[in-house]
Amino acid sequence: MPVHEPIFPPMPLTDEKRPKALQGAQEEKRLEVLAHFTKEDYKLPNVEKDAELMEVEKFWLTNDCILRYLRATKWDVPSAIKRLETTLLWRREFGFYTFVTAEHVEPEVPIFVFVLISNYPNTIFLRV
């Protein structure tokens, strides 16, 4: 029988653990990428049918997502835009919005192991 440990609320973040504010140039680059994808006439490149962004894709393009891609490209805006567009195209080609449904992944749920690493020192909770 699996052992279930209680999940305690996380400790409040201290100032040194909070994400650092973006520097001036970084914020400008984030806004530049955001502006690229929020243009009224924006269409995904190399897509002939339904090239406009779907609502779920707009929802996926959060500030955190944009920052992840900018950091991965060392704040190179054209590279970040290219990678984001490639990812959006892959998600469409793979069928992420049509093929991967709750019914599709439901058989994996009973065998899925959930690991929670908390803010408490040296504490890992395993849920089965």
Side-chain angles (χ1 to χ4, degrees):
M1 182 167 186
V3 176
H4 296 280
E5 297 288 331
I7 298 177
F8 301 102
M11 295 173 63
L13 290 176
T14 59
D15 285 338
E16 66 249 6
K17 290 186 179 181
R18 290 191 188 282
K20 293 185 173 137
L22 297 176
Q23 303 302 319
Q26 294 172 339
E27 179 65 15
E28 290 172 12
K29 291 177 181 190
R30 182 192 68 83
L31 292 173
E32 188 177 341
V33 173
L34 182 63
H36 175 80
F37 287 103
T38 55
K39 290 186 226 171
E40 280 189 37
D41 60 341
Y42 177 76
K43 295 181 191 288
L44 276 172
N46 305 323
V47 176
E48 295 175 12
K49 183 180 175 188
D50 298 327
E52 295 86 20
L53 288 179
M54 298 183 286
E55 286 299 313
V56 68
E57 290 170 327
K58 291 176 185 177
F59 184 74
W60 179 77
L61 283 168
T62 62
N63 284 327
D64 289 331
C65 177
I66 291 170
L67 288 174
R68 266 193 306 276
Y69 280 77
L70 280 168
R71 288 183 186 116
T73 59
K74 296 186 170 73
W75 301 94
D76 181 21
V77 172
S79 293
I81 289 171
K82 177 72 173 155
R83 283 187 181 196
L84 280 163
E85 289 174 341
T86 303
T87 301
L88 288 167
L89 289 170
W90 176 85
R91 290 167 71 99
R92 283 188 180 193
E93 289 171 10
F94 182 73
F96 192 82
Y97 306 113
T98 55
F99 177 68
V100 180
T101 61
E103 293 80 22
H104 179 74
V105 296
E106 186 178 20
E108 297 177 12
V109 172
I111 60 171
F112 182 77
V113 176
F114 179 75
V115 178
L116 171 68
I117 301 174
S118 75
N119 286 341
Y120 292 103
N122 304 319
T123 307
I124 298 177
F125 296 100
L126 296 175
R127 302 294 281 222
V128 180

